[in-house]
Amino acid sequence: MVDYKNSSPDWQRHAGDILILPIGTTEQHGGHLPLNTLTVNCTRIAQAVAEHFDAALLPTIPISNSIVNTGFRGSFSFAPETLMKMIRDLAAEAERQHFRFLILISGENNMGLLDAVACDINRNDRDIKLLTVYPPRFADNDILTANRRNVNDFFAGEKDTSRYLDAGGMLLAQPEPDQTRDYAPKIPWLPTDLATFGIGNMNPPGYVGLPAEASGTKGRLLNTCIIESVVTYLEDRLSRLRHSSRYAGPGGLATRPLTRLDMPELMHLVEQANQNQQVQDWEFLLDTNPQGSIGMVFQGKVIGTAMVLNYPDGPAWINMVLVDREFQDYSVPDTLINEILKQHKDREFRLDAPSEKTGMFRELGFQLEFEIMRLVRSGGPLPPEPQGILRVAATDLGNMTEMDAANFISRREFVLERLFREDHDCSFMLERGDGFLLSRKGRRYRHLGPVYAPDDRMAADLVAAAIRSCNGGELVIDVPKFHTDFIEYLRKMGFIVQKKFFRMGKNTVRQEKKNYYFATIGPEFG
């Protein structure tokens, strides 16, 4: 813990991200207590809380909102707007110094003002969060005689006086006997009445409660209870905020179909996730199955996506499951996938899931089928020119489509045609006609696939032709892990393993013929 008695280098070395600000008052507390009573009581709690959390502790602000004590000389107050501006300025300074949490410990006199400032700052999801704590609210009132007598005790009474005594304070005079009942209305005074009636209207001596019943013993019990309860409360709230600090949490989220008008936000998700897709990939998926695109939106902004590529005689292929970083903690992918499953009901489903997402899909009923290794190549010497490799011509598409359909789990000529049309410069086939490679250009690198070939060596020759055609540019390829010899060929050509995917299925009917299936098109298409 550090506080205002430490040096600036001490604060520089302090590793905590919690800052505590006690807020006191300079105001009358009857004839038996000094003007700084609330300051003493708040400081007592703030010190204990700061020690527990190893936090940084600011000095107690000695003047705040005491306008309910108007008429009592010696009571000084800032205007509500002034106090609120002070808290805003201190929060901004704490944020600049990279504190994540500012805890305000104050009497209930400031409750409406501090809560309003905290709410306004927190709702904007800044880098700092404000938490307000009002210690009297955490007290065990059963300790009080006033509670047993059903007497309201909320200002300079038994509770405040007992807590002050426990904090080491001395009475200035013996408390007067209870006079509040002489001024009690038919409906007892409540703290909210202070907006209409000042303290002097409720009781001319300036207190509301039973200060004559106060004792240091009661104060010790009250403060111990308050500290324990405040610490428990803050541990829970801080834990929640560390898990997710977004003010609205998962509230306000809704799903709707995606459109081309969403393209800027769709590409923002791609860039944020450092993915490879381009605008034309989204457009192709949207045009192919407009009803199969689902977005999660917040305040009109797309913050999550899931797409379905509908293979007519095969599976509904789930892809483009992306979520904005700010919303990672709110089960957005689960909601989107469940919506897709509900829309397509008993369809066969397939997807290529990143290794860290397999648990989520297993809970949704998907089964693991096989592992896929993603390998990337970022330059290096070109491999020797392979023999027996030709460039694909438009007249070869029919043969390639049949080969793909015989080995994949569905016919998908519309996908292969698109790949050839948009990247025909990097499309190759075996001269003998029983293998081919297509590719597609991406935002970050060219993606090679699908690759079909009779054996590992011929598959590697197709990749070598692609490398030479791209002049060694950045390439990526997704290879089923069981093709170990092919992966070894790729390593020798400069590819390295980047990450893993898992082919997963639900309600599956067909399986790939794995002997010929050397590389997928990628998670978007299978």
Side-chain angles (χ1 to χ4, degrees), residues 44-218:
R44 164 88 164 84
I45 303 303
Q47 180 78 29
V49 172
E51 289 174 354
H52 176 84
F53 288 102
D54 190 23
L57 177 64
L58 289 170
T60 305
I61 296 178
I63 298 176
S64 60
N65 172 40
S66 298
I67 55 180
V68 300
N69 290 289
T70 296
F72 291 87
R73 196 175 194 197
S75 298
F76 287 86
S77 179
F78 293 119
E81 297 81 4
T82 302
L83 178 62
M84 295 171 78
K85 181 66 167 62
M86 288 170 59
I87 299 304
R88 289 183 186 279
D89 288 349
L90 286 171
E93 185 60 46
E95 190 174 27
R96 278 190 289 272
Q97 296 187 29
H98 300 101
F99 287 99
R100 287 189 60 196
F101 307 103
L102 173 60
I103 299 173
L104 309 175
I105 297 181
S106 167
E108 292 179 292
N109 56 307
N110 293 318
M111 183 167 58
L113 305 180
L114 299 184
D115 285 350
V117 174
C119 180
D120 192 39
I121 290 175
N122 292 338
R123 76 187 181 97
N124 288 303
D125 291 325
R126 288 166 46 176
D127 291 336
I128 193 165
K129 288 292 181 182
L130 272 61
L131 294 93
T132 56
V133 174
Y134 308 103
R137 294 201 151 196
F138 293 87
D140 180 2
N141 291 328
D142 290 341
I143 295 168
L144 301 175
T145 301
N147 197 51
R148 293 193 294 275
R149 293 185 189 174
N150 200 28
V151 174
N152 270 336
D153 188 281
F154 59 80
F155 187 82
E158 181 183 8
K159 183 191 295 183
D160 290 345
T161 304
S162 295
R163 292 183 56 216
Y164 176 75
L165 291 171
D166 175 61
M170 301 289 290
L171 296 179
L172 302 181
Q174 287 301 311
E176 300 179 32
D178 179 26
Q179 298 181 27
T180 56
R181 62 187 60 200
D182 297 335
Y183 298 88
K186 291 181 181 179
I187 298 174
W189 291 116
L190 299 173
T192 51
D193 285 319
L194 292 170
T196 307
F197 304 94
I199 290 293
N201 208 332
M202 295 181 175
N203 192 21
Y207 63 85
V208 180
L210 303 177
E213 300 294 331
S215 71
T217 300
K218 290 179 181 177

Side-chain angles (χ1 to χ4, degrees), residues 27-43:
E27 63 185 8
Q28 73 83 28
H29 276 72
H32 59 290
L33 291 173
L35 299 176
N36 71 336
T37 295
L38 183 57
T39 301
V40 171
N41 286 349
C42 282
T43 302

Side-chain angles (χ1 to χ4, degrees), residues 368-393:
L368 293 175
E369 296 183 357
F370 56 87
E371 187 174 345
I372 297 170
M373 310 296 291
R374 169 160 290 184
L375 297 97
V376 296
R377 186 182 192 277
S378 301
L382 299 181
E385 185 173 358
Q387 300 299 309
I389 304 296
L390 303 174
R391 288 191 181 274
V392 172

Side-chain angles (χ1 to χ4, degrees), residues 27 73 212 244 315 407 417:
E27 63 185 8
R73 196 175 194 197
S244 174
N407 291 279
E417 288 170 2

Side-chain angles (χ1 to χ4, degrees), residues 355-373:
S355 55
E356 68 272 14
K357 298 293 185 184
T358 55
M360 177 190 79
F361 286 110
R362 291 181 101 160
E363 289 180 5
L364 295 170
F366 285 79
Q367 302 295 318
L368 293 175
E369 296 183 357
F370 56 87
E371 187 174 345
I372 297 170
M373 310 296 291

